[in-house]
């Protein structure tokens, strides 16, 4: 009978890029149980809603996370606009879509690099992040910020992208897509990577659905649910299908993210080519009175912003359900039975974002 | 079967130039609309205080009596809200980031705006 020991994994761990905290119960080097803890980097951002006016809180929402910042801002302003019955112009919706997909690209490329690093492939890490630089350059040239775009506001967007710049983006996409294919080929077809990922951290389709997984973790198990199908922003006008895999292991989740790179490139292309002319914002008067659940698909999964106002300049409640919070139960399901050396790979395969989760 | 999937990339890296930039010897890349830091043209500031009210992180203070405009760089989130709100267009969002500093200080700028004289009213028409 091997002795059981408890090993704290995180919040400060040399392999993990996020301060996730899991207490692992081990027998020899096999994980038999996992106890997650949340709260290490709690900042109380939801509470700020009672101290900041609803027009200012979008800046707080965008700083919930540095990697999926645009989508948080978008989810928040969509909620306010729905409560206040504000009709956003078409051009603004398309611009939001373009920035959303650029954010998804840079987030997935960042994740691919960190994932490679967790497997010990530092060169692959560098290749991914070098590729990401061109996406960050596009974001900087169109919004003024590489990471915090700051373009969403209640009633529209604060900045336009001219036709010349859109054509420039379309031209940039051609070599970028080829480079993504080369990179994806390494992640999907290299024997070393496949040996490390296949059959690891399996969550079946039924389990993923029952446990409430979100995003690539859910789609990697074969469930084709994606909040973009709700048709928010301009997604209702564009041709979009979720990327799914069926194996439910680390390799499948990686394959979904690689596939989503190309989906994002296609969506940017569609939006940049068909964006309508017109204004980019409408004037907003009054204050929100009512409540709404705003759902947006982040790179990691579906984020829900619950917003409640009572007619004053300050909201009474904001509640944010981040995709990582939804992916913790599947993670606890994945880990028992694996070797200790595989824990970083499995943890990273759900793409945890702890600053979002513990907000 | 994929064993040399990265060979092409490795060879390109081997014979190509490094993709990194030798910062700070080589300046960082900034776009034309990069939000670096806010500056003020004190000769045009009318001390209305709209930037202070609009700032989401309360980084800006306007003292009308002392005619001083202050900004706390460490609170500033470079969001452009003050530039958009300024009716006199005296605030400018510069592309470059500020240099690193070793002490936290609030930046003070005396306002040098002089209100122009109202034109003399025409003498009442004779009669």
């Amino acid at each position: 009978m091997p002795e059981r020991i408890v090993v704290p994994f995180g919040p400060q761990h040399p392999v993990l890029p996020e301060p996730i905290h899991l207490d692992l119960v081990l027998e020899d080097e096999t994980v038999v149980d996992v106890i997650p803890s949340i709260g290490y980097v709690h900042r109380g951002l939801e509470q700020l809603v009672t101290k900041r006016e609803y027009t200012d809180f979008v800046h707080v929402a965008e700083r919930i996370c540095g990697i999926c910042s645009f989508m948080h801002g978008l989810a928040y302003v969509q909620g306010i606009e729905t409560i206040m019955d504000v009709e956003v112009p078409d051009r603004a919706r398309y611009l939001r879509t373009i920035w959303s997909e650029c954010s998804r690209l840079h987030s997935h490329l960042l994740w691919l690099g960190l994932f490679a690093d967790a497997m010990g492939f530092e060169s692959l890490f560098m290749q991914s992040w070098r590729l990401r630089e061109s996406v960050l350059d596009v974001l900087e040239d169109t919004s003024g910020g590489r990471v915090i775009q700051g373009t969403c506001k209640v009633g529209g967007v604060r900045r336009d992208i001219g036709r010349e710049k859109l054509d420039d983006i379309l031209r940039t996409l051609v070599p970028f897509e080829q480079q993504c294919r080369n990179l994806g080929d390494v992640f999907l077809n290299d024997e070393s990577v496949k040996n490390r990922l296949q059959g690891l951290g399996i969550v079946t389709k039924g389990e993923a659905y029952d446990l409430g997984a979100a995003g690539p973790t859910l789609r990697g198990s074969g469930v084709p649910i994606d909040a973009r199908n709700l048709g928010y922003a301009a997604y209702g006008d564009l041709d979009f299908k979720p990327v799914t895999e069926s194996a439910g292991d680390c390799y499948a989740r990686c394959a979904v993210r690689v596939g989503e790179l190309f989906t994002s490139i296609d969506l940017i292309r569609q939006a940049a080519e068909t964006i309508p002319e017109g204004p980019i914002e409408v004037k907003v008067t009054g204050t929100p009175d009512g409540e709404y659940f705003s759902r947006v698909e982040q790179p990691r999964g579906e984020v829900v912003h619950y917003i409640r106002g009572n007619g004053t300049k300050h909201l009474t409640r904001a509640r944010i359900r981040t995709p990582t919070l939804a992916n913790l139960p599947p993670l606890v399901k994945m880990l028992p039975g694996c070797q200790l050396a595989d824990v970083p790979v499995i943890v990273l395969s759900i793409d945890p974002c702890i600053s979002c989760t513990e907000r | 079967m994929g064993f040399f999937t990265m060979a092409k990339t490795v060879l390109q890296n081997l014979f190509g130039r490094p993709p990194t930039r030798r910062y700070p010897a080589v300046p960082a890349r900034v776009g034309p609309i990069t939000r670096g830091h806010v500056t003020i043209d004190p000769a045009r500031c009318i001390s209305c205080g709209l930037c202070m009210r609009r700032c989401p992180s309360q980084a800006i203070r306007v003292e009308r009596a002392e005619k001083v405009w202050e900004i706390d760089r460490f609170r500033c989130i470079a969001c452009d809200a003050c530039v958009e709100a300024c009716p006199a267009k005296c605030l400018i969002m510069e592309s470059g980031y500020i240099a690193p500093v070793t002490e936290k200080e609030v930046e003070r700028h005396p306002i040098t705006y002089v209100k122009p004289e109202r034109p003399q009213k025409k003498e009442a028409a004779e009669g």
Side-chain angles (χ1 to χ4, degrees), chain A residues 51-52 56 59 63 123-124 127 130 136-138 140-146 148-151 153 158-159 178 182 185-186 189-192 194, chain B residues 1-6 8-9 12-13 17-19 29-36 53-58 75 77-81 84 97:
Chain A
K51 295 176 171 62
R52 296 278 190 271
D56 284 343
H59 299 293
R63 285 160 176 83
S123 275
L124 195 50
Q127 299 308 313
R130 176 165 75 172
L136 296 179
D137 289 343
V138 166
E140 183 173 19
D141 291 344
T142 55
S143 68
R146 282 156 63 90
I148 306 285
Q149 276 76 60
T151 49
K153 70 169 197 176
R158 295 166 69 194
R159 207 179 273 278
Q178 184 54 51
N182 293 339
D185 188 44
V186 178
N189 298 322
D190 191 83
E191 279 302 301
S192 307
K194 283 163 88 174
Chain B
M1 190 66 54
F3 281 112
F4 293 102
T5 47
M6 261 187 81
K8 180 184 169 188
T9 305
Q12 280 174 349
N13 292 342
R17 293 163 75 260
R29 176 201 189 279
V30 291
I33 61 168
T34 299
R35 297 192 307 270
R53 268 190 275 148
R54 197 60 64 84
C55 180
S57 54
Q58 287 111 48
R75 293 185 71 99
I77 58 173
C79 64
D80 243 5
E84 288 177 3
Y97 301 109

Coordinates of all heavy atoms in Angstrom, one line a residue, chain A residues 51-52 56 59 63 123-124 127 130 136-138 140-146 148-151 153 158-159 178 182 185-186 189-192 194, chain B residues 1-6 8-9 12-13 17-19 29-36 53-58 75 77-81 84 97:
Chain A
K51 N -18.6 52.1 -7.3 CA -17.8 53.3 -7.1 C -17.5 54.0 -8.4 O -17.0 55.1 -8.4 CB -16.5 52.9 -6.3 CG -16.7 52.4 -4.9 CD -15.4 52.0 -4.3 CE -15.6 51.7 -2.8 NZ -16.5 50.6 -2.6
R52 N -17.6 53.3 -9.5 CA -17.3 53.9 -10.8 C -18.6 54.0 -11.6 O -19.5 53.1 -11.5 CB -16.4 53.0 -11.6 CG -15.0 52.8 -10.9 CD -14.1 54.0 -11.3 NE -12.8 53.8 -10.9 CZ -12.3 54.1 -9.7 NH1 -13.1 54.6 -8.8 NH2 -11.0 53.9 -9.4
D56 N -17.5 54.5 -17.0 CA -16.1 54.3 -16.6 C -15.8 52.9 -16.4 O -14.6 52.4 -16.5 CB -15.8 55.1 -15.3 CG -15.6 56.6 -15.6 OD1 -15.4 56.9 -16.8 OD2 -15.6 57.4 -14.7
H59 N -13.5 50.5 -18.4 CA -12.0 50.5 -18.3 C -11.6 49.5 -17.3 O -10.6 48.8 -17.4 CB -11.5 51.9 -17.8 CG -11.8 53.0 -18.8 ND1 -11.2 53.0 -20.1 CD2 -12.6 54.0 -18.8 CE1 -11.7 54.1 -20.7 NE2 -12.5 54.7 -20.0
R63 N -9.6 45.6 -17.8 CA -8.4 45.2 -17.1 C -8.6 44.1 -16.2 O -7.7 43.8 -15.3 CB -7.9 46.5 -16.3 CG -7.3 47.4 -17.3 CD -7.2 48.8 -16.8 NE -6.4 49.7 -17.7 CZ -7.0 50.3 -18.7 NH1 -8.3 50.1 -19.0 NH2 -6.3 51.0 -19.6
S123 N 12.0 26.2 -28.1 CA 12.1 26.8 -29.4 C 10.7 27.1 -30.0 O 10.4 28.1 -30.6 CB 12.9 25.9 -30.3 OG 14.3 26.2 -30.2
L124 N 9.9 26.1 -29.8 CA 8.5 26.2 -30.3 C 7.8 27.3 -29.6 O 7.0 28.1 -30.2 CB 7.8 24.9 -30.0 CG 6.5 24.6 -30.8 CD1 6.6 24.8 -32.3 CD2 6.0 23.2 -30.5
Q127 N 8.9 30.5 -31.4 CA 8.2 30.6 -32.7 C 6.8 31.1 -32.6 O 6.4 32.0 -33.3 CB 8.2 29.3 -33.4 CG 9.6 28.6 -33.7 CD 10.5 29.6 -34.4 OE1 10.2 30.3 -35.3 NE2 11.7 29.6 -33.8
R130 N 6.8 34.8 -31.6 CA 7.3 35.7 -32.6 C 6.1 36.0 -33.6 O 5.9 37.1 -34.1 CB 8.4 35.1 -33.4 CG 8.9 35.9 -34.6 CD 10.2 35.5 -35.1 NE 10.2 34.2 -35.8 CZ 11.2 33.8 -36.5 NH1 12.4 34.4 -36.5 NH2 11.1 32.6 -37.1
L136 N -0.1 41.7 -32.5 CA -0.1 42.8 -31.6 C 0.2 44.1 -32.3 O -0.3 45.1 -32.0 CB 1.0 42.5 -30.5 CG 0.8 41.3 -29.6 CD1 2.0 41.2 -28.7 CD2 -0.5 41.5 -28.9
D137 N 1.0 44.0 -33.4 CA 1.3 45.2 -34.2 C 0.0 45.8 -34.8 O -0.3 47.0 -34.9 CB 2.3 45.0 -35.2 CG 3.7 44.8 -34.6 OD1 3.9 45.2 -33.5 OD2 4.6 44.3 -35.3
V138 N -0.8 44.8 -35.4 CA -2.1 45.2 -36.0 C -3.0 45.9 -34.9 O -3.6 46.9 -35.1 CB -2.8 44.0 -36.6 CG1 -4.2 44.3 -37.0 CG2 -2.0 43.6 -37.9
E140 N -2.1 47.4 -32.2 CA -1.6 48.7 -31.8 C -1.9 49.7 -32.8 O -2.2 50.9 -32.5 CB -0.1 48.6 -31.5 CG 0.6 49.8 -31.1 CD 2.0 49.7 -30.7 OE1 2.6 48.7 -31.1 OE2 2.5 50.5 -30.0
D141 N -1.7 49.4 -34.1 CA -1.9 50.3 -35.2 C -3.4 50.7 -35.4 O -3.7 51.8 -35.9 CB -1.4 49.8 -36.5 CG 0.1 49.7 -36.5 OD1 0.8 50.3 -35.6 OD2 0.7 49.0 -37.3
T142 N -4.3 49.9 -34.9 CA -5.7 50.2 -35.1 C -6.4 50.7 -33.8 O -7.4 51.3 -33.9 CB -6.5 48.9 -35.6 OG1 -6.3 47.9 -34.6 CG2 -6.0 48.5 -36.9
S143 N -5.8 50.4 -32.7 CA -6.5 50.9 -31.5 C -5.6 51.7 -30.5 O -6.1 52.3 -29.6 CB -7.0 49.7 -30.7 OG -6.0 49.0 -30.1
G144 N -4.3 51.7 -30.8 CA -3.4 52.5 -29.9 C -2.8 51.7 -28.8 O -1.9 52.2 -28.1
G145 N -3.3 50.5 -28.6 CA -2.7 49.7 -27.5 C -2.5 48.3 -27.9 O -3.4 47.7 -28.7
R146 N -1.4 47.7 -27.5 CA -1.2 46.3 -28.0 C -2.0 45.3 -27.2 O -2.5 44.3 -27.7 CB 0.3 45.9 -27.7 CG 1.3 46.5 -28.7 CD 2.6 46.6 -28.2 NE 3.2 45.3 -27.7 CZ 3.9 44.5 -28.6 NH1 4.1 44.9 -29.8 NH2 4.4 43.4 -28.1
I148 N -4.3 46.4 -24.1 CA -5.5 47.0 -23.7 C -6.0 47.9 -24.8 O -5.4 48.9 -25.0 CB -5.3 47.8 -22.4 CG1 -4.7 47.0 -21.3 CG2 -6.7 48.4 -21.9 CD1 -5.6 46.0 -20.6
Q149 N -7.0 47.4 -25.6 CA -7.4 48.2 -26.8 C -8.1 49.5 -26.4 O -7.9 50.5 -27.0 CB -8.3 47.3 -27.7 CG -7.4 46.4 -28.6 CD -6.9 45.2 -27.8 OE1 -7.6 44.4 -27.2 NE2 -5.6 45.1 -27.8
G150 N -9.0 49.4 -25.5 CA -9.7 50.6 -25.0 C -10.6 51.2 -26.1 O -10.8 52.4 -26.1
T151 N -11.1 50.5 -27.0 CA -11.9 51.1 -28.1 C -13.4 50.9 -27.9 O -14.2 51.6 -28.5 CB -11.6 50.5 -29.5 OG1 -11.6 49.1 -29.4 CG2 -10.2 50.9 -29.9
K153 N -17.0 51.3 -26.2 CA -17.6 52.2 -25.3 C -19.1 52.0 -25.4 O -19.6 51.5 -26.5 CB -17.2 53.6 -25.4 CG -17.7 54.2 -26.7 CD -17.5 55.7 -26.6 CE -18.4 56.4 -27.7 NZ -18.2 57.9 -27.6
R158 N -14.7 53.8 -30.1 CA -14.1 55.1 -30.0 C -13.2 55.5 -31.2 O -12.7 56.6 -31.3 CB -13.3 55.2 -28.8 CG -14.1 55.1 -27.5 CD -13.3 54.9 -26.3 NE -12.5 56.0 -26.0 CZ -11.5 55.9 -25.1 NH1 -11.2 54.8 -24.5 NH2 -10.8 57.0 -24.8
R159 N -12.9 54.5 -32.1 CA -11.9 54.7 -33.1 C -12.3 53.9 -34.3 O -12.9 52.8 -34.2 CB -10.5 54.3 -32.6 CG -9.4 55.0 -33.3 CD -8.1 54.5 -32.8 NE -7.7 55.2 -31.6 CZ -7.0 56.3 -31.6 NH1 -6.8 56.9 -32.7 NH2 -6.6 56.9 -30.4
Q178 N 0.0 31.5 -43.7 CA 0.9 30.5 -44.0 C 1.8 30.1 -42.9 O 2.1 29.0 -42.6 CB 1.8 30.9 -45.2 CG 2.7 29.9 -45.7 CD 2.1 28.6 -46.1 OE1 1.1 28.5 -46.8 NE2 2.6 27.5 -45.5
N182 N 2.4 26.5 -40.9 CA 3.6 25.9 -40.5 C 3.7 25.6 -39.0 O 4.1 24.5 -38.6 CB 4.8 26.8 -40.9 CG 4.9 27.0 -42.4 OD1 4.4 26.2 -43.2 ND2 5.6 28.0 -42.8
D185 N 1.3 22.8 -38.1 CA 1.8 21.5 -38.5 C 2.7 20.9 -37.4 O 2.7 19.7 -37.2 CB 2.6 21.7 -39.8 CG 3.0 20.4 -40.5 OD1 2.1 19.5 -40.5 OD2 4.2 20.3 -40.9
V186 N 3.5 21.7 -36.8 CA 4.4 21.2 -35.7 C 3.6 20.7 -34.6 O 3.8 19.6 -34.0 CB 5.4 22.3 -35.3 CG1 6.3 21.8 -34.1 CG2 6.2 22.8 -36.4
N189 N 1.4 17.5 -36.0 CA 1.9 16.3 -36.7 C 3.3 15.9 -36.2 O 3.7 14.8 -36.7 CB 2.0 16.7 -38.2 CG 0.6 16.9 -38.8 OD1 -0.3 16.3 -38.5 ND2 0.6 17.9 -39.7
D190 N 3.9 16.6 -35.4 CA 5.2 16.2 -34.9 C 5.1 15.0 -33.9 O 4.2 15.0 -33.0 CB 5.9 17.3 -34.2 CG 7.4 17.0 -34.0 OD1 8.2 17.2 -34.9 OD2 7.7 16.6 -32.8
E191 N 5.9 14.0 -34.1 CA 5.8 12.8 -33.3 C 6.0 13.1 -31.8 O 5.3 12.5 -30.9 CB 6.7 11.7 -33.7 CG 6.2 10.9 -34.9 CD 4.9 10.2 -34.7 OE1 4.8 9.4 -33.7 OE2 3.9 10.5 -35.4
S192 N 7.0 13.9 -31.5 CA 7.3 14.2 -30.1 C 6.1 14.9 -29.4 O 5.8 14.6 -28.3 CB 8.5 15.2 -30.0 OG 9.6 14.7 -30.7
K194 N 2.9 14.7 -30.4 CA 1.8 13.8 -30.3 C 2.0 12.8 -29.1 O 1.1 12.5 -28.4 CB 1.6 13.1 -31.6 CG 1.0 13.9 -32.7 CD 1.2 13.4 -34.0 CE 0.1 12.4 -34.4 NZ 0.2 12.0 -35.8
Chain B
M1 N 3.6 10.4 -40.0 CA 4.9 10.4 -39.4 C 5.6 11.7 -39.6 O 5.9 12.1 -40.7 CB 5.7 9.2 -40.0 CG 7.0 8.9 -39.3 SD 6.7 8.3 -37.6 CE 5.6 6.9 -38.0
G2 N 5.8 12.5 -38.5 CA 6.4 13.8 -38.7 C 7.6 13.9 -37.7 O 7.5 14.0 -36.5
F3 N 8.8 13.8 -38.3 CA 10.0 14.0 -37.4 C 10.8 15.2 -37.7 O 11.5 15.7 -36.8 CB 10.9 12.7 -37.6 CG 10.4 11.5 -36.9 CD1 9.9 10.4 -37.5 CD2 10.4 11.5 -35.5 CE1 9.5 9.3 -36.9 CE2 10.0 10.4 -34.8 CZ 9.5 9.3 -35.5
F4 N 10.7 15.8 -38.8 CA 11.5 17.0 -39.1 C 10.5 18.2 -39.4 O 10.8 19.0 -40.3 CB 12.5 16.8 -40.2 CG 13.5 15.8 -39.8 CD1 13.5 14.5 -40.2 CD2 14.6 16.2 -38.9 CE1 14.5 13.6 -39.8 CE2 15.5 15.3 -38.5 CZ 15.5 14.0 -38.9
T5 N 9.4 18.3 -38.7 CA 8.4 19.3 -39.1 C 9.0 20.7 -38.8 O 8.5 21.6 -39.5 CB 7.2 19.1 -38.2 OG1 7.5 18.9 -36.9 CG2 6.4 17.9 -38.7
M6 N 9.9 20.9 -37.9 CA 10.4 22.2 -37.6 C 11.7 22.5 -38.3 O 12.3 23.5 -38.2 CB 10.6 22.4 -36.1 CG 9.4 23.2 -35.5 SD 9.7 23.6 -33.8 CE 10.7 25.1 -34.0
K8 N 12.6 23.2 -41.4 CA 12.6 24.3 -42.3 C 12.7 25.6 -41.5 O 13.5 26.5 -41.8 CB 11.3 24.3 -43.1 CG 11.2 25.5 -44.1 CD 9.8 25.5 -44.8 CE 9.6 26.8 -45.5 NZ 8.2 26.8 -46.1
T9 N 11.9 25.7 -40.4 CA 11.9 26.9 -39.5 C 13.3 27.0 -38.9 O 13.8 28.2 -38.8 CB 10.8 26.8 -38.5 OG1 9.6 26.6 -39.1 CG2 10.8 28.0 -37.6
Q12 N 15.8 28.4 -41.3 CA 15.6 29.8 -41.6 C 16.1 30.6 -40.5 O 16.7 31.7 -40.7 CB 14.1 30.1 -41.8 CG 13.5 29.7 -43.2 CD 12.0 29.8 -43.3 OE1 11.4 30.0 -42.3 NE2 11.5 29.8 -44.5
N13 N 15.9 30.2 -39.2 CA 16.4 30.9 -38.1 C 17.9 30.9 -38.1 O 18.5 31.9 -37.7 CB 15.8 30.3 -36.8 CG 14.4 30.5 -36.6 OD1 13.8 31.3 -37.3 ND2 13.8 29.7 -35.8
R17 N 18.4 36.8 -39.9 CA 18.7 37.7 -38.8 C 17.8 37.5 -37.6 O 16.7 37.0 -37.7 CB 18.6 39.2 -39.4 CG 19.5 39.5 -40.5 CD 19.1 40.7 -41.3 NE 19.3 42.0 -40.6 CZ 18.4 42.6 -40.0 NH1 17.1 42.2 -39.9 NH2 18.6 43.8 -39.4
P18 N 18.3 37.9 -36.4 CA 17.5 37.7 -35.2 C 16.2 38.6 -35.3 O 16.2 39.7 -35.8 CB 18.3 38.2 -34.1 CG 19.7 38.6 -34.6 CD 19.6 38.6 -36.1
P19 N 15.1 38.0 -34.9 CA 13.8 38.8 -35.0 C 13.7 39.8 -33.9 O 12.8 40.6 -33.9 CB 12.7 37.7 -34.9 CG 13.4 36.6 -34.2 CD 14.9 36.6 -34.5
R29 N 9.2 49.8 -31.3 CA 8.3 50.1 -32.4 C 7.0 50.8 -31.8 O 6.4 50.2 -30.9 CB 7.9 48.8 -33.1 CG 6.9 49.0 -34.2 CD 6.2 47.7 -34.5 NE 5.3 47.8 -35.7 CZ 4.1 48.3 -35.7 NH1 3.6 48.7 -34.6 NH2 3.4 48.3 -36.8
V30 N 6.7 51.9 -32.3 CA 5.4 52.6 -31.9 C 4.7 53.0 -33.1 O 5.2 53.4 -34.1 CB 5.7 53.8 -31.0 CG1 6.2 53.4 -29.6 CG2 6.6 54.8 -31.6
G31 N 3.4 52.7 -33.1 CA 2.5 53.1 -34.2 C 2.2 54.6 -34.1 O 2.4 55.2 -33.1
P32 N 1.6 55.2 -35.1 CA 1.2 56.6 -35.1 C 0.1 56.9 -34.0 O 0.1 58.0 -33.5 CB 0.7 56.9 -36.5 CG 0.4 55.5 -37.1 CD 1.3 54.5 -36.4
I33 N -0.7 55.9 -33.7 CA -1.7 56.2 -32.7 C -1.5 55.5 -31.4 O -2.4 55.4 -30.6 CB -3.2 55.8 -33.3 CG1 -3.2 54.4 -33.6 CG2 -3.5 56.7 -34.5 CD1 -4.6 53.9 -33.8
T34 N -0.3 55.0 -31.2 CA 0.0 54.3 -29.9 C -0.3 55.3 -28.7 O 0.1 56.4 -28.7 CB 1.5 53.9 -29.9 OG1 1.7 53.0 -30.9 CG2 1.8 53.2 -28.5
R35 N -1.0 54.7 -27.7 CA -1.3 55.6 -26.5 C -0.1 55.4 -25.6 O 0.0 54.5 -24.8 CB -2.6 55.1 -25.9 CG -3.8 55.3 -26.8 CD -5.0 55.1 -25.9 NE -5.0 53.8 -25.2 CZ -5.5 52.7 -25.7 NH1 -6.0 52.6 -26.9 NH2 -5.4 51.6 -25.0
G36 N 0.8 56.4 -25.6 CA 2.0 56.4 -24.8 C 1.8 57.1 -23.5 O 1.7 56.6 -22.4
R53 N -12.6 65.5 -14.3 CA -13.9 64.8 -14.1 C -14.0 63.5 -14.9 O -14.6 62.5 -14.5 CB -15.1 65.7 -14.4 CG -15.5 66.5 -13.2 CD -16.8 67.2 -13.5 NE -16.6 68.5 -14.1 CZ -17.4 69.0 -15.0 NH1 -18.5 68.4 -15.3 NH2 -17.2 70.2 -15.5
R54 N -13.4 63.6 -16.1 CA -13.6 62.4 -17.0 C -12.6 61.3 -16.8 O -12.8 60.2 -17.2 CB -13.5 62.9 -18.4 CG -14.0 62.0 -19.5 CD -15.5 61.6 -19.3 NE -16.4 62.8 -19.4 CZ -16.8 63.2 -20.6 NH1 -16.4 62.6 -21.7 NH2 -17.6 64.2 -20.7
C55 N -11.5 61.6 -16.0 CA -10.5 60.6 -15.9 C -11.0 59.4 -15.0 O -11.4 59.6 -13.9 CB -9.3 61.2 -15.2 SG -7.9 60.1 -15.0
P56 N -11.0 58.2 -15.6 CA -11.5 57.1 -14.8 C -10.6 56.6 -13.7 O -11.1 55.9 -12.8 CB -11.6 56.0 -15.9 CG -10.7 56.3 -16.9 CD -10.6 57.8 -16.9
S57 N -9.4 57.0 -13.7 CA -8.5 56.6 -12.5 C -8.1 57.7 -11.7 O -7.2 57.6 -10.8 CB -7.3 55.9 -13.1 OG -6.6 56.7 -14.0
Q58 N -8.7 58.9 -11.8 CA -8.5 60.1 -11.0 C -7.0 60.4 -10.9 O -6.4 60.7 -9.9 CB -9.0 59.8 -9.5 CG -10.5 59.9 -9.4 CD -11.0 58.5 -9.1 OE1 -10.6 57.8 -8.2 NE2 -12.1 58.2 -9.8
R75 N -0.9 56.6 -11.8 CA -2.4 56.3 -11.9 C -2.9 56.3 -13.3 O -3.9 55.7 -13.6 CB -3.1 57.3 -11.0 CG -2.9 57.2 -9.5 CD -3.8 58.2 -8.8 NE -5.1 57.7 -8.8 CZ -5.7 57.1 -7.8 NH1 -5.0 56.9 -6.7 NH2 -6.9 56.7 -7.8
I77 N -3.9 55.6 -16.9 CA -4.0 54.3 -17.7 C -4.0 54.6 -19.2 O -4.3 53.7 -19.9 CB -5.3 53.5 -17.3 CG1 -6.5 54.4 -17.5 CG2 -5.2 53.1 -15.8 CD1 -7.8 53.6 -17.3
A78 N -3.7 55.8 -19.6 CA -3.5 56.1 -21.0 C -4.7 55.7 -21.8 O -4.6 55.0 -22.8 CB -2.2 55.5 -21.5
C79 N -5.9 56.1 -21.4 CA -7.1 55.6 -22.0 C -7.7 56.6 -23.0 O -8.6 56.3 -23.7 CB -8.2 55.3 -21.0 SG -8.7 56.7 -20.1
D80 N -7.1 57.8 -23.1 CA -7.6 58.8 -24.1 C -8.8 59.6 -23.6 O -9.3 60.4 -24.4 CB -7.8 58.2 -25.4 CG -6.9 58.7 -26.5 OD1 -6.0 59.5 -26.2 OD2 -7.2 58.3 -27.7
A81 N -9.4 59.3 -22.5 CA -10.6 59.9 -22.1 C -10.5 61.4 -21.9 O -11.3 62.2 -22.3 CB -11.2 59.3 -20.8
E84 N -10.2 63.2 -25.3 CA -11.4 63.3 -26.0 C -12.3 64.4 -25.3 O -13.1 65.0 -26.0 CB -12.2 62.0 -25.9 CG -11.5 60.9 -26.8 CD -12.2 59.6 -26.7 OE1 -13.2 59.5 -26.0 OE2 -11.8 58.6 -27.4
Y97 N 6.3 56.0 -24.8 CA 6.1 55.8 -23.3 C 7.0 56.7 -22.6 O 8.1 57.1 -23.1 CB 6.3 54.3 -22.9 CG 5.4 53.4 -23.7 CD1 5.9 52.6 -24.7 CD2 4.0 53.4 -23.4 CE1 5.1 51.7 -25.3 CE2 3.2 52.5 -24.1 CZ 3.7 51.7 -25.1 OH 2.9 50.9 -25.8

